[in-house]
Each structure stands twice: as C-alpha cells, then as structure tokens.
Amino acid sequence: MLAKTKNFFEEVQAELAKVTWPTRKETFSTAQVVVVIIVLISLYLGACDVVLAKLIRSILR
C-alpha cells in the first residue's frame, strides 16, 4: 500500500511538471474578459426582465 501511494505521488509530480501554467498577465487578462462578459450578460438579462415584466403587466391589466 505504501509503495502504491509513493508511486501515485511520483506520477502526480511528473504530470504537474508537464503543465504549462499561465503567467500573471494572462490570468489577469482572462479575468478581465470574464468580468466584462458577466456584466454584459447581467445587463442584457436585466433589460429582458424589465421588458417582460412590463409586457406581462400590460397584458394582465
């Protein structure tokens, strides 16, 4: 059991060595894009909600 555990962690270390980690600049740029997209989608969905709420109110009156 101990040998299997040691082998597992050696393989994990070998796989992590193959990973290409993003730079700080790439991570920051990607985060900015995500925030901008979230804001745009939120504004769109908020506008749809307002329009549909007014439409439903006008139909039900």
Side-chain angles (χ1 to χ4, degrees):
M1 181 70 168
L2 187 59
K4 285 185 178 181
T5 305
K6 181 180 177 190
N7 186 37
F8 171 76
F9 283 111
E10 287 172 352
E11 289 177 9
V12 167
Q13 190 174 15
E15 289 299 318
L16 283 175
K18 296 177 187 177
V19 173
T20 304
W21 297 101
T23 64
R24 183 187 272 306
K25 184 178 179 183
E26 290 171 334
T27 304
F28 187 73
S29 297
T30 304
Q32 284 179 324
V33 170
V34 169
V35 169
V36 167
I37 290 173
I38 288 171
V39 168
L40 291 174
I41 291 172
S42 298
L43 291 172
Y44 173 75
L45 291 175
C48 287
D49 184 47
V50 169
V51 168
L52 290 174
K54 288 184 179 188
L55 181 66
I56 296 294
R57 263 191 233 119
S58 68
I59 291 173
L60 294 178
R61 285 187 183 179

